């Protein structure tokens, strides 16, 4: 699998390198076969490390390979990458104990990171603005004005939305939460709001005081794990609600993409998503599209 990813990396700068094209697909196929064989057995201390590394490389290969997809005939949603990232989460869940004791330990989320995020969210130096966004007390008051338009747009609809969790009630994206609510039934509201709760938390963490970028990125890359199979099925069918939720994911990802394998991905994905989001939902694309231009999480609206 490592040879496959190495070849794929070469293709980023030399897309017509035939040996690299062959190696990328050939070794990826071999790697998948070996992973399948290992998964047919029980996950244990002997194969946990190899399965973990392989799952990460599969997700990396899937992401990098998207740059070779011909989008001229239409945008291809990133559901394959999301499923690959869900695979990483499944391996961690099954082999976490052994991974923590191995040299892979630093790559596995730790309880102390969870506690650090909780302490930041509960920090006394944070206050809630009228629209629910938590800010540092020393932040310029102009930030509050910058989000007022989003608040006014969402308040009338939000009052009619179903009661949600704490993240929804204090979300920086009230208009989107409200707009997603009418989609149920037949689609359960939680299909949209569970992943949106995670994105709202990450957005809040971007405000000072904030944890290290690698912790933010790790938490944000947990987004696919919050996606239900139903969400991914809807995404494959270009359901408007899922397309917009995914757009907000890439909008936030643009703020923590300071690693080579993510650079350029938010821009490419958002430009593609913009072409498939229905006209009546284009208003919801304004905030994500701003992030690939400004690289800052605010303002939400002019």
């Amino acid at each position: 699998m490592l040879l496959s990813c190495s070849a794929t990396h070469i293709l980023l700068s030399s897309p017509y390198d035939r040996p690299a094209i062959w190696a990328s697909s050939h070794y990826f196929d071999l790697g998948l076969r070996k992973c399948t064989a290992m998964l047919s057995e029980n996950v244990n201390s002997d194969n946990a490390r190899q399965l973990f590394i392989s799952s990460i490389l599969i997700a990396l290969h899937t992401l990098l390979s998207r740059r070779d997809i011909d989008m001229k005939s239409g945008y291809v949603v990133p559901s394959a990458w999301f499923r690959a990232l869900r695979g990483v989460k499944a391996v961690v869940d099954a082999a976490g104990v052994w991974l923590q004791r191995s040299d892979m330990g630093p790559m596995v989320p730790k309880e102390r990171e969870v506690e650090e995020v909780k302490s930041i969210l509960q920090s006394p130096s944070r206050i809630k603005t009228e629209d629910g966004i938590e800010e540092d007390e020393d932040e310029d008051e102009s930030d509050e004005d910058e989000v007022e338009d989003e608040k006014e747009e969402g308040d009338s609809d939000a009052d009619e939305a179903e009661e949600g969790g704490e993240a929804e009630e204090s979300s920086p994206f009230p208009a989107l939460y409200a707009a997603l609510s009418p989609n149920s039934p037949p689609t359960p509201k939680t299909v949209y709001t569970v992943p949106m709760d995670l994105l709202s938390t990450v957005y809040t963490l971007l405000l000072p005081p904030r944890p290290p970028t690698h912790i933010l990125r790790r938490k944000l890359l947990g987004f696919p794990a919050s996606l239900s199979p139903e969400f991914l099925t809807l995404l494959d069918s270009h359901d408007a609600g899922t397309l917009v939720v995914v757009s907000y994911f890439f909008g936030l990802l643009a703020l923590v993409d300071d690693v080579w394998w993510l650079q350029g991905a938010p821009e490419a994905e958002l430009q593609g998503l913009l072409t498939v989001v229905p006209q009546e939902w284009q208003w919801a694309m304004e905030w994500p599209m701003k992030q690939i231009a400004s690289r800052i999480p605010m303002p939400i609206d002019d």
Side-chain angles (χ1 to χ4, degrees):
M1 199 63 73
L2 182 59
L3 290 174
S4 174
C5 286
S6 298
T8 305
H9 191 196
I10 291 174
L11 290 174
L12 296 180
S13 56
S14 303
Y16 303 107
D17 187 319
R18 289 189 177 183
I21 293 173
W22 177 86
S24 176
S25 59
H26 175 72
Y27 289 115
F28 185 71
D29 182 60
L30 287 179
L32 280 179
R33 291 183 185 182
K34 289 185 178 180
C35 283
T36 301
M38 284 189 291
L39 287 172
S40 65
E41 307 170 358
N42 291 329
V43 179
N44 52 58
S45 58
D46 294 328
N47 62 20
R49 182 178 180 277
Q50 188 173 355
L51 278 172
F52 178 60
I53 295 174
S54 296
S55 67
I56 291 175
L57 293 176
I58 289 171
L60 178 59
H61 182 278
T62 306
L63 174 62
L64 296 179
S65 296
R66 286 186 59 75
R67 305 185 188 189
D68 295 328
I69 297 177
D70 184 7
M71 300 286 189
K72 293 180 181 178
S73 57
Y75 175 70
V76 179
V77 294
S79 51
W81 183 46
F82 290 163
R83 288 187 173 98
L85 285 172
R86 283 174 59 86
V88 177
K89 174 68 163 51
V91 171
V92 171
D93 288 344
V97 175
W98 297 299
L99 292 173
Q100 291 282 13
R101 298 171 182 172
S102 73
D103 56 350
M104 295 292 104
M107 300 182 66
V108 180
K110 296 177 175 58
E111 185 64 28
R112 61 179 176 80
E113 292 183 2
V114 176
E115 293 303 320
E116 180 177 355
V117 167
K118 287 182 179 178
S119 65
I120 291 174
L121 289 173
Q122 298 169 359
S123 171
S125 64
R126 284 174 175 266
I127 59 174
K128 288 193 175 184
T129 62
E130 292 180 2
D131 66 326
I133 299 178
E134 293 182 351
E135 296 179 349
D136 189 272
E137 290 180 341
D138 296 329
E139 285 290 299
D140 194 292
E141 293 181 0
S142 62
D143 287 343
E144 192 170 331
D145 297 332
E146 289 174 332
V147 299
E148 187 63 29
D149 289 342
E150 171 73 7
K151 171 182 177 296
E152 292 175 354
E153 180 182 353
D155 277 351
S156 59
D157 291 333
D159 290 339
E160 301 173 2
E162 297 179 24
E163 291 297 321
E166 182 179 347
E168 177 177 354
E169 294 172 359
S170 60
S171 170
F173 310 115
L176 182 56
Y177 267 106
L180 289 171
S181 296
N183 281 357
S184 56
T187 303
K189 183 183 177 185
T190 54
V191 169
Y192 305 105
T193 57
V194 168
M196 277 304 300
D197 287 350
L198 184 149
L199 298 182
S200 295
T201 298
V202 173
Y203 178 97
T204 303
L205 289 171
L206 284 166
L207 301 169
R210 54 181 285 178
T213 299
H214 74 276
I215 294 180
L216 284 170
R217 183 164 51 246
R218 181 179 292 176
K219 187 168 184 62
L220 188 54
L221 288 175
F223 169 80
S226 72
L227 303 181
S228 65
E230 185 174 8
F231 183 102
L232 292 174
T233 299
L234 289 169
L235 180 61
D236 286 331
S237 64
H238 287 195
D239 167 75
T242 59
L243 291 171
V244 171
V245 171
V246 168
S247 297
Y248 276 63
F249 163 69
F250 282 111
L252 286 167
L253 196 62
L255 307 174
V256 292
D257 67 345
D258 54 343
V259 288
W260 69 267
W261 50 275
L262 278 179
Q263 290 172 357
E267 291 88 340
E269 298 295 343
L270 282 170
Q271 290 177 54
L273 285 160
L274 191 64
T275 66
V276 293
V277 171
Q279 184 60 42
E280 61 269 24
W281 281 85
Q282 286 291 315
W283 63 269
M285 294 297 292
E286 184 175 352
W287 185 87
M289 294 304 295
K290 281 184 177 181
Q291 308 321 303
I292 61 175
S294 63
R295 295 290 176 162
I296 56 175
M298 295 197 297
I300 289 179
D301 254 330
D302 291 329

